[in-house]
Amino acid sequence: MTLAVCDPRRALKMPRVYTSFMSAIGADAGMRRFARDILRARPGDRVLDLGCGPGRLCAHLPGAAYTGVDIDEAYLAQARSRYAASGARFEHWDLSGDCPPLRAQTFDL
């Protein structure tokens, strides 16, 4: 077996495994502090989260107009499912090139 086959990081490419792992290591508390102390979003603020993954930041920004962007459709599907009722938007964009959709929108954070 090669190291790549045994690499446990490969499991983190699965959204449910990633989310469970982040919860297990206490990352939710850090995300909550980041949202509260650094972002300080107010209701109505337009927030853009590049590389949003499964959208974990969305839960800590109640009332904000949240847009999450990621390249991984599996992570976006989990985010859409989890936060459908919040009005958050989750979009699939490849940010490695020009990104016209960003130019057409304005964000506060």
Side-chain angles (χ1 to χ4, degrees):
M1 264 190 217
T2 67
L3 182 58
V5 173
C6 298
D7 188 349
R9 292 175 293 185
R10 291 181 65 191
L12 296 178
K13 291 185 182 241
M14 295 180 278
R16 291 188 193 278
V17 173
Y18 171 81
T19 302
S20 297
F21 176 75
M22 296 306 281
S23 292
I25 66 169
D28 291 325
M31 184 73 71
R32 190 172 33 258
R33 281 192 307 275
F34 173 72
R36 181 190 66 219
D37 299 341
I38 305 299
L39 291 181
R40 295 182 285 186
R42 297 177 304 239
D45 279 351
R46 295 158 300 192
V47 178
L48 176 63
D49 185 2
L50 298 175
C52 68
R56 293 176 45 250
L57 180 59
C58 182
H60 305 289
L61 300 171
Y66 178 94
T67 299
V69 173
D70 206 283
I71 195 168
D72 190 307
E73 284 290 354
Y75 278 97
L76 291 169
Q78 184 181 19
R80 288 179 186 121
S81 172
R82 179 172 283 173
Y83 301 108
S86 73
R89 290 181 21 217
F90 294 94
E91 299 186 16
H92 178 258
W93 293 349
D94 179 353
L95 299 175
S96 63
D98 191 25
C99 201
L102 286 175
R103 289 192 197 123
Q105 299 179 42
T106 302
F107 297 95
D108 301 305
L109 301 166

